[in-house]
Amino acid sequence: MSAPRAKVFEYEVEVDRHGAVSIPGGSTIAVPADWTPDHLLLAALVRCSIASLDYHAKRAGHEMRAIGSARGTITRRESDGRYAFTGITLRIEAVLTPPAGDGLAQMLEKAQRDCFVGASLAIAPRYEWDVS
């Protein structure tokens, strides 16, 4: 008996010479000049974390509204002397309807685990959840 095939998710984006980001055949966003790729990574991590929590909240029968922020530190790593994110902290504030009760801790654990962006980083982000 063979092992079940893993799902495969593929994404594609394009960046033009002016810095606009687009999805082939889809929408385009103009990225302001003061937004660095580092800011975009943090934004992707926040959006992914909120989407992951929303997915698990809906599976558990909740509606969710959330906002979030992230702060990252880039410095030279001791291990290889390269500059990289050495710390990232996310803060997510969410309201679940109805409230999650006893299942909240497990839902937050799944949300952290299942954010593909966070799982792809060399360091584990530190999450701060405020869920009511």
Side-chain angles (χ1 to χ4, degrees), residues 69-117:
S69 62
R71 174 171 285 210
T73 301
I74 294 176
T75 191
R76 191 182 310 254
R77 292 185 297 216
E78 290 183 22
S79 62
D80 61 5
R82 298 184 68 194
Y83 280 89
F85 276 103
T86 57
I88 297 175
T89 301
L90 279 84
R91 177 143 180 82
I92 308 290
E93 295 178 28
V95 176
L96 298 177
T97 307
D102 293 340
L104 180 59
Q106 184 178 19
M107 189 183 311
L108 296 179
E109 185 178 302
K110 288 178 181 178
Q112 288 178 205
R113 178 196 71 198
D114 294 342
C115 169
F116 302 150
V117 174

Side-chain angles (χ1 to χ4, degrees), residues 5-101:
R5 291 182 63 135
K7 290 181 183 178
V8 176
F9 301 91
E10 294 181 343
Y11 299 91
E12 184 176 349
V13 298
E14 297 172 346
V15 179
D16 71 17
R17 65 180 50 95
H18 305 289
V21 180
S22 62
I23 299 170
S27 61
T28 299
I29 58 171
V31 179
D34 60 340
W35 276 69
T36 67
D38 311 306
H39 291 110
L40 293 169
L41 181 123
L42 293 175
L45 181 57
V46 171
R47 287 190 53 124
C48 181
S49 298
I50 289 172
S52 184
L53 178 58
D54 187 53
Y55 172 81
H56 289 292
K58 284 180 178 167
R59 288 194 62 178
H62 305 279
E63 292 294 320
M64 187 196 81
R65 293 185 328 273
I67 60 171
S69 62
R71 174 171 285 210
T73 301
I74 294 176
T75 191
R76 191 182 310 254
R77 292 185 297 216
E78 290 183 22
S79 62
D80 61 5
R82 298 184 68 194
Y83 280 89
F85 276 103
T86 57
I88 297 175
T89 301
L90 279 84
R91 177 143 180 82
I92 308 290
E93 295 178 28
V95 176
L96 298 177
T97 307

